[in-house]
Amino acid sequence: MQIDIFHDTVCPWCRIGKKYLFDALSEYKGKAVEIRWHPFILDNSVPSEGYEFRNFMQQRKGMSPQQLQQMFNYTKSMGEAAGVILDFENVSLAVNTTLSHQLIDLTPKPLKSKVVDEIYRAYFEKGSNLGNIDFILEIAKSCGIDSPEIVQKLNDRQSRDTVIAESNKARSLGISSVPFFIINNEIKISGSRSKETFINQLAVSS
């Protein structure tokens, strides 16, 4: 079975959706599953140093500070229900996620899920700037990926262009929001659905 996951690493609903999918997969007893990760960069215009988070989000969403806080509170509660931490009080920067997707792309398949989890944790729990290569290299090292080749490739324009092209391709396929899941090139699931939804769709695909 093949599952394609389209996500961005600063999308809280992507973290929630990943958790529910992998909770479902932990109970799945069917065919072997191959996960393929695809970048969906929400805003590649954000500079590497990032923007002040709350001002950026207010402008992006067209919300007042009070409305934004209500949205954060709701999303945080949905994260708690799924078993993930979304600490918006600790996030100070809206960041560019291209480097984080480059790392995922360069990571060996057996480690990709772990790297994705660590990237989510770095942003939503520590407020790390994912546009800073030093932070990205710290994540790589913590997951056992520590080589001069990684540094070179993360700095390589071709690696960056590959990720951006993949993100643009997702939009050309009609994907307009994330998370977005495709099972066996047939079943499409939009949004961070429940574990039970994923269990049912996995059963249908078996």
Side-chain angles (χ1 to χ4, degrees), residues 38-109:
H38 302 274
F40 190 94
I41 302 169
L42 291 170
D43 192 341
N44 197 34
S45 69
V46 177
S48 59
E49 64 272 17
Y51 289 131
E52 201 283 323
F53 179 60
R54 288 184 177 256
N55 287 338
F56 176 84
M57 291 299 293
Q58 282 176 228
Q59 293 175 15
R60 185 182 180 92
K61 298 289 187 180
M63 291 180 170
S64 69
Q66 293 76 18
Q67 290 171 322
L68 187 68
Q69 187 59 52
Q70 288 175 354
M71 184 186 77
F72 287 157
N73 291 344
Y74 173 74
T75 310
K76 181 180 179 179
S77 69
M78 292 298 98
E80 289 172 351
V84 297
I85 296 171
L86 301 169
D87 187 357
F88 295 104
E89 300 304 319
N90 213 22
V91 177
S92 61
L93 290 175
V95 302
N96 190 299
T97 61
T98 304
L99 267 175
S100 64
H101 287 295
Q102 285 178 251
L103 176 59
I104 296 166
D105 184 55
L106 295 168
T107 297
K109 281 186 179 181

Side-chain angles (χ1 to χ4, degrees), residues 56-194:
F56 176 84
M57 291 299 293
Q58 282 176 228
Q59 293 175 15
R60 185 182 180 92
K61 298 289 187 180
M63 291 180 170
S64 69
Q66 293 76 18
Q67 290 171 322
L68 187 68
Q69 187 59 52
Q70 288 175 354
M71 184 186 77
F72 287 157
N73 291 344
Y74 173 74
T75 310
K76 181 180 179 179
S77 69
M78 292 298 98
E80 289 172 351
V84 297
I85 296 171
L86 301 169
D87 187 357
F88 295 104
E89 300 304 319
N90 213 22
V91 177
S92 61
L93 290 175
V95 302
N96 190 299
T97 61
T98 304
L99 267 175
S100 64
H101 287 295
Q102 285 178 251
L103 176 59
I104 296 166
D105 184 55
L106 295 168
T107 297
K109 281 186 179 181
L111 292 176
K112 283 187 188 289
S113 178
K114 180 179 181 181
V115 166
V116 171
D117 279 336
E118 288 304 313
I119 291 171
Y120 283 145
R121 186 173 292 112
Y123 187 68
F124 288 111
E125 298 182 29
K126 301 176 184 177
S128 300
N129 181 359
L130 302 181
N132 182 303
I133 194 168
D134 291 333
F135 281 118
I136 295 299
L137 288 172
E138 283 182 18
I139 293 169
K141 188 174 182 179
S142 72
C143 294
I145 307 167
D146 187 18
S147 70
E149 184 181 9
I150 285 290
V151 178
Q152 179 184 347
K153 288 186 175 181
L154 285 172
N155 281 298
D156 183 55
R157 182 60 183 263
Q158 183 177 349
S159 171
R160 179 177 180 274
D161 289 349
T162 296
V163 162
I164 293 171
E166 280 290 310
S167 179
N168 292 337
K169 181 181 178 181
R171 286 179 166 84
S172 74
L173 294 174
I175 297 171
S176 59
S177 63
V178 286
F180 195 88
F181 308 86
I182 303 177
I183 303 176
N184 284 342
N185 294 317
E186 294 179 347
I187 296 175
K188 298 179 180 180
I189 303 171
S190 178
S192 54
R193 304 295 179 172
S194 67

